[in-house]
Amino acid sequence: MVQQSGSHRPGTFGAPSSALAVRSAPGRWVLVAAVLGSSLASVDATVVTIALPAIGADLGGSFAGLQWTVTGYTLTLAALILLAGAAGDRFGRRRVFLFGVVWFTVASVLCAVAPTMALLIAARVLQGIGAALLTPGSLSIIESVFRPEDRSAAVATWAGFSGVAGALAPFAGGWLLGIGTWRWVFLINVPLALVVIGLMVRYVPESRDEDSTARLDWAGAVATSVALGGLTYALIDVGRDGWSAATAIALAVTATAGCVLVAVERTTDAPILSPRILQIRQFQAANLVTFLAYGAIAVYFLMLTLQLQVVSGWSPLAAGLATTPTVILTLALSRASASLSDRVGPRVPMTVGPLVLAVATLLALSADADAAFVPDVLPSVTVFGLGLGVFVAPLTATAIGSVPAAHAGVASGVNNAVARTASLIAIAAVPVLAGLSGDAFSDPTQFESGFATSMLICSALFVLAALAAATATTGRSTTDADD
C-alpha cells in the first residue's frame, strides 16, 4: 500500500488522504488542482502549434526549425518523464509536481523573450524538463489519494475537465495572436501556474511510496535522452538535407545509447522501468495501443492546424477554434466511456475508438484551399472527438489501473513517456515520409500534398492501434491491485 505522509496536517481536511471520495469536498479540490496542473503542459502544446506559422515568419525559421520547436519540448518531456514519475513516488508526488510547475513557468518566460529560433528551441528543451516533472504527478496523485472504487471515476473526471482547458486553449492562443504577438502565448502559463501552486499547497496531501529507495536511475535517463535525441535529429535531418554523414552519425549514437540503456536497466538495482510492471500483460497492451495512437493524434492536430492556416488561409484564431468540437466531445463522453469500460472491459472502447479516429483522419482530406468550416472541417473534428471520447479515458484508466497503486507514479510516467515518444517520433518522421521539408510551411501547394499523405499515414496507424487493442487487451474490467 502507498503510505501517505502528513495525512492529518492542515490542508488535508483531517482525513486519511488515501481514502478520498470523488464527490467529497476534499476530493473535488484535489481534482481541480490536478486538472489545472496537467493543463499547463497540454495548453502549451496546443497554443504553440497554433503559433507555429507566426513564429516561423517572425524568426525566419524553416520547417525543420518549426519541427524542433515542437520536438525539442517533447524530447526532454519523453526522456525524463519516467525519472520524474519515480522521483515523485520516492520523494513525494506533490513536492516533485510543484518543482516542475515552477521550472515550467520560468522556462515559459524564457521562450517568450527568445530573440532567435535557436534560443527558442533551447528554451523549449528546458520547458520540456519542467513538463516532465509535473506531468506524471497529476495522475499519480489521483491514483494514490482516492479510494480504489473511485479511481476510475476520478481519472475520467480528470480526462474530461482537462478537455475544458483544451477547448479554451485554441481560443486563448488565437486571440492572443490576433491582438499581440506569438510571445504572449508562452506568458499565458504564468498566471495559470500561480493558481496551481496555491491550490497544491493548500489542498493536496503529500504521498509517496515508503518502500522505495532514494536512488534514481540517472544513467538510464541520460541514455534515454541521448537515444531519443539522436533519433529525432536523424529523422528531421533526413527531411531537410537527405541522407548524410550527420544522419548516419546520429543513428549510430541512437543505437549505442539504446544498447547502453538496455545494459544499465539490466544491472542497476533501481531501474526506472520496474520489471514487475513491464510483465503485466494489460499494461503492455495499453502502452502498445498508446504508442500507435498517440503518434497519429499528434500529427493530426499539428498538420490540420497548419493546413488551415497555410493552405486554406484561415487566421490563427479560426484554425485554433476549428478543433473545439473535438475537445468538447472528449469531455462529454469521457465519463460514460470510463463507466462502459468498467462494465464490459477496456477491449471494446480501445478497439472502437481508434477505428473512429481512422475515419476522422480520412474526412480531414476535404480541408483544401477553399475549405469552409461546416462542410469541410466540422465532420472530421466531430468524428475525431467521438473517437477520443470513446478511447482516451478507458486507455488511461487501463494503463494506470493495471498496476499496484504503490507504483502509480512510475506507471503514469511510463504511459506518458510512451505517448510523448510516439508524438516525438511521429512529428519528426511523418512529415519526412510525406515529403515536407525546407520552406514547406510557406508553400501552400507543397504543404497540401504533404498534408494528404500525412492523413493517410495517420489513418493506417489508428487501424494498427485498433488491431493491437483487439488482440492484446484482455476483456476484463480494469481493477487496481493495492499491495
Side-chain angles (χ1 to χ4, degrees), residues 225-251:
S225 301
V226 173
L228 289 177
L231 180 60
T232 303
Y233 179 88
L235 292 172
I236 293 178
D237 189 63
V238 165
R240 181 181 58 194
D241 300 322
W243 289 97
S244 64
T247 303
I249 292 173
L251 290 175

Side-chain angles (χ1 to χ4, degrees), residues 263-360:
V264 167
E265 296 305 291
R266 286 181 174 177
T267 57
T268 183
D269 57 356
I272 54 177
L273 291 175
S274 168
R276 179 184 176 189
I277 291 177
L278 296 179
Q279 292 170 1
I280 299 174
R281 180 186 173 189
Q282 193 80 322
F283 187 68
Q284 294 173 349
N287 283 289
L288 174 60
V289 175
T290 297
F291 183 83
L292 292 169
Y294 270 79
I297 291 170
V299 172
Y300 174 85
F301 281 117
L302 173 67
M303 297 300 291
L304 180 60
T305 303
L306 289 174
Q307 170 81 355
L308 293 177
Q309 294 182 72
V310 174
V311 177
S312 304
W314 291 21
S315 69
L317 177 58
L321 290 177
T323 60
T324 301
T326 297
V327 289
I328 291 175
L329 285 168
T330 303
L331 167 63
L333 296 175
S334 290
R335 195 77 176 256
S337 63
S339 298
L340 175 65
S341 180
D342 286 341
R343 292 196 304 271
V344 305
R347 178 184 293 162
V348 172
M350 287 174 59
T351 301
V352 173
L355 291 177
V356 175
L357 293 170
V359 173

Side-chain angles (χ1 to χ4, degrees), residues 99-428:
F99 185 74
V101 171
V102 174
W103 183 296
F104 186 89
T105 306
V106 172
S108 296
V109 174
L110 294 178
C111 290
V113 300
T116 65
M117 181 66 77
L119 290 176
L120 174 61
I121 292 170
R124 288 282 286 167
V125 169
L126 292 175
Q127 197 181 32
I129 297 175
L133 291 169
L134 68 89
T135 297
S138 177
L139 274 175
S140 62
I141 286 171
I142 289 175
E143 195 72 16
S144 60
V145 305
F146 284 100
R147 300 180 305 182
E149 61 269 28
D150 279 2
R151 288 172 187 158
S152 180
V155 170
T157 302
W158 170 87
F161 280 95
S162 294
V164 172
L168 294 176
F171 173 78
W175 179 70
L176 288 171
L177 286 168
I179 67 171
T181 170
W182 61 266
R183 300 179 187 277
W184 291 15
V185 303
F186 292 104
L187 295 178
I188 197 175
N189 296 324
V190 177
L192 181 59
L194 294 176
V195 173
V196 171
I197 291 171
L199 290 174
M200 292 295 294
V201 171
R202 173 66 181 88
Y203 295 111
V204 178
E206 184 62 280
S207 63
R208 60 171 59 86
D209 179 6
E210 298 291 354
D211 296 328
S212 179
T213 65
R215 294 184 65 247
L216 293 177
D217 185 12
W218 290 104
V222 171
T224 302
S225 301
V226 173
L228 289 177
L231 180 60
T232 303
Y233 179 88
L235 292 172
I236 293 178
D237 189 63
V238 165
R240 181 181 58 194
D241 300 322
W243 289 97
S244 64
T247 303
I249 292 173
L251 290 175
V253 169
T254 299
T256 302
C259 292
V260 170
L261 176 62
V262 172
V264 167
E265 296 305 291
R266 286 181 174 177
T267 57
T268 183
D269 57 356
I272 54 177
L273 291 175
S274 168
R276 179 184 176 189
I277 291 177
L278 296 179
Q279 292 170 1
I280 299 174
R281 180 186 173 189
Q282 193 80 322
F283 187 68
Q284 294 173 349
N287 283 289
L288 174 60
V289 175
T290 297
F291 183 83
L292 292 169
Y294 270 79
I297 291 170
V299 172
Y300 174 85
F301 281 117
L302 173 67
M303 297 300 291
L304 180 60
T305 303
L306 289 174
Q307 170 81 355
L308 293 177
Q309 294 182 72
V310 174
V311 177
S312 304
W314 291 21
S315 69
L317 177 58
L321 290 177
T323 60
T324 301
T326 297
V327 289
I328 291 175
L329 285 168
T330 303
L331 167 63
L333 296 175
S334 290
R335 195 77 176 256
S337 63
S339 298
L340 175 65
S341 180
D342 286 341
R343 292 196 304 271
V344 305
R347 178 184 293 162
V348 172
M350 287 174 59
T351 301
V352 173
L355 291 177
V356 175
L357 293 170
V359 173
T361 56
L362 296 179
L363 291 174
L365 294 174
S366 62
D368 55 16
D370 300 318
F373 177 68
V374 173
D376 302 314
V377 179
L378 183 59
S380 176
V381 296
T382 299
V383 175
F384 206 85
L386 291 173
L388 289 181
V390 169
F391 171 68
V392 170
L395 175 64
T396 304
T398 300
I400 307 303
S402 60
V403 305
H407 302 290
V410 174
S412 176
V414 170
N415 189 244
N416 273 284
V418 170
R420 307 300 178 173
T421 301
S423 300
L424 175 71
I425 294 174
I427 289 175

